[in-house]
Amino acid sequence: MGRRLRHTPLFLIVLLVAALVPATKAVGADPGQPATKAECKMEGWQDFANAGFRNQGDCVRFVETGVFTCRDPLGCVSYATEDPLRLATALVTSGPVAFLGVDELRGVEIALGARGPVLSHAVELRNEDSMCSAEGGAAAADAIGADPTVSAVVGTTCSGAALAAAPIISDAGLSMVSPSNTSPILTEPDTHAAGYLRVSWNDRDQAVAMAGFVTGEGAMTSAVVVDGDPYSVALGEAFVESFEGSGGTVLAVEVAEPDGSDVAAVVAAVVGAGIPDVLYFPVFDPLGSALVAEARAMPALDGTQLAASDGLASQGFVDGLGADAEGMLFTVPDLSFTGSPEYADFAAAYFDEFDENPLTVFSAFAFDATNVILDGIEGVGIVDGAGTLHIGRQALRDALFATAGFAGLTGTITCDLLGDCGQTGFVILTVTAGELVPVP
């Protein structure tokens, strides 16, 4: 069901511990528990909320006897001295996008190899394939949730899998940190699952970034075209909210067929509502290409700025449109962290272990997700007199959501109440002489 990590070379551990483990938390730090009766007195017992002490007497008895009683509302996962601590992953490892999950799993393994034992326990992984689908996410979550030895989960890769997996994981009393989910729905108040967090970006933020940029450039009116997909709709709604919040007017919001079959009618409806300063369409191809071609063929829109999201931000898209793409705007995540010395060390360790460069940037996010979880475990774990490690599930969940100022590989990580932890910003790109480049 689980597997031990293969031996990691000593030089790799030395390299990564020095360069990548956050300086705010020492590897192998003592758990948050009292060692003397004096620490229990003068309401000091309240400093150990993770231990579930009800009063000073509980705290003193623990110090004197070493007997731990789990009072965590979600229960505890416990590991005897010789047992490995167990994490699970719910990443896609089969199908067309398996490379994403494989890359993330490697990031998890590098983090564990660099970290070494956690509270004197080796770490074992249980890997479940979430298959980048709701069905796969549910199946992976069911399997993980039924395993009482799992302390926390890194996953999922795909947002669709998370929508199904997060409620199951949460109901099982576990917490899950995703390295690559970006759907706004996952951290909306009405749809957020209690144990779900992510260190990746929220796609909603890129729509806000675009709205802020175009209004800053003087745009006063806009129109929005979406394709009905949750990604597209969420970005469209965020753009409207932000644009109007900046004093602009949204003249129309239209829904187009994803295959682009009705673009003529959609663009005609946009023009009929008034000529916008900006036409924003957070969609994918073939709709994106069809919209651009139709808009460029409409003389009334000659002065309208065309703006899209990262779903279309590729050189292939630009090349396919030729001159029609000139001057377009796109939002893309700010991945400048890949130029840091820390990332260079990570990439070198990745190459040494797997004989190739990181497949995507998400291995770095998986590295951070793993370390956020391990920091939480080190902060709340209780070791009793017999040497058994106890991790309160609610205590760990609380610690994860309280993460603040974590010096991650991908940036400083601070979690909010709905599980958004990533600090990745967005860069505005434009097309100049047929090339995607940052706006001047």
Side-chain angles (χ1 to χ4, degrees):
M1 298 296 289
R3 66 183 180 85
R4 300 280 184 127
L5 293 176
R6 57 179 167 162
H7 178 69
T8 303
L10 179 60
F11 83 90
L12 175 61
I13 294 176
V14 172
L15 167 69
L16 286 173
V17 168
L20 300 176
V21 173
T24 55
K25 190 71 174 181
V27 176
D30 291 335
Q33 63 186 62
T36 66
K37 291 190 289 185
E39 294 177 86
C40 300
K41 297 177 180 179
M42 302 295 291
E43 299 186 347
W45 62 274
Q46 295 182 12
D47 295 336
F48 306 100
N50 57 299
F53 298 140
R54 296 168 299 183
N55 50 45
Q56 178 177 307
D58 277 350
C59 181
V60 170
R61 278 189 291 275
F62 173 74
V63 172
E64 290 180 334
T65 68
V67 176
F68 176 76
T69 301
C70 177
R71 297 190 180 91
D72 189 278
L74 296 179
C76 296
V77 57
S78 300
Y79 304 101
T81 305
E82 68 277 6
D83 293 338
L85 186 154
R86 301 191 79 212
L87 296 182
T89 63
L91 305 168
V92 56
T93 53
S94 64
V97 295
F99 68 94
L100 289 171
V102 169
D103 189 52
E104 291 170 336
L105 182 57
R106 290 173 173 180
V108 174
E109 292 179 343
I110 290 174
L112 296 181
R115 192 97 178 199
V118 175
L119 298 177
S120 300
H121 288 258
V123 180
E124 184 178 76
L125 283 179
R126 171 179 181 146
N127 302 316
E128 296 290 339
D129 184 359
S130 56
M131 302 174 64
C132 203
S133 68
E135 296 78 11
D142 283 336
I144 293 168
D147 185 346
T149 68
V150 171
S151 56
V153 186
V154 178
T156 61
T157 303
C158 303
S159 294
L163 287 170
I168 297 171
I169 292 293
S170 296
D171 289 347
L174 290 164
S175 298
M176 179 170 74
V177 182
S178 171
S180 55
N181 296 161
T182 60
S183 172
I185 296 173
L186 289 162
T187 54
E188 293 290 337
D190 294 339
T191 50
H192 175 250
Y196 175 82
L197 308 93
R198 60 175 163 210
V199 295
S200 54
W201 61 87
N202 184 334
D203 272 330
R204 188 181 192 280
D205 293 339
Q206 66 172 303
V208 173
M210 181 62 79
F213 178 79
V214 295
T215 54
E217 293 292 299
M220 295 301 296
T221 61
S222 67
V224 177
V225 177
V226 298
D227 66 7
D229 179 85
Y231 163 91
S232 182
V233 171
L235 266 66
E237 291 174 347
F239 181 88
V240 168
E241 180 182 345
S242 182
F243 192 85
E244 291 182 337
S246 297
T249 300
V250 177
L251 302 175
V253 177
E254 301 291 334
V255 180
E257 292 294 331
D259 62 3
S261 59
D262 61 348
V263 291
V266 168
V267 173
V270 167
V271 173
I275 307 303
D277 295 330
V278 177
L279 176 59
Y280 179 63
F281 43 101
V283 301
F284 300 95
D285 254 347
L287 175 56
S289 294
L291 278 170
V292 174
E294 186 68 23
R296 294 304 196 200
M298 185 77 68
L301 296 177
D302 283 349
T304 296
Q305 173 68 64
L306 303 185
S309 59
D310 62 349
L312 296 176
S314 73
Q315 192 60 47
F317 173 78
V318 171
D319 292 343
L321 285 168
D324 282 348
E326 198 71 13
M328 282 188 65
L329 298 176
F330 304 85
T331 44
V332 295
D334 182 358
L335 302 178
S336 57
F337 70 84
T338 58
S340 70
E342 292 80 10
Y343 183 81
D345 289 339
F346 171 81
Y350 188 111
F351 187 88
D352 180 81
E353 188 74 2
F354 304 109
D355 201 29
E356 60 182 333
N357 293 319
L359 304 178
T360 73
V361 297
F362 291 114
S363 55
F365 286 94
F367 180 92
D368 281 352
T370 305
N371 274 313
V372 165
I373 289 172
L374 296 181
D375 260 24
I377 289 173
E378 287 187 342
V380 304
I382 298 290
V383 179
D384 66 20
T388 298
L389 169 64
H390 305 274
I391 302 168
R393 297 190 186 279
Q394 183 64 57
L396 177 56
R397 184 176 293 182
D398 292 343
L400 294 177
F401 279 90
T403 299
F406 180 97
L409 185 59
T410 61
T412 302
I413 295 172
T414 297
C415 300
D416 66 20
L417 296 177
L418 294 172
D420 268 321
C421 304
Q423 299 299 305
T424 306
F426 288 88
V427 176
I428 308 295
L429 301 182
T430 189
V431 180
T432 302
E435 299 291 329
L436 272 171
V437 297
V439 293

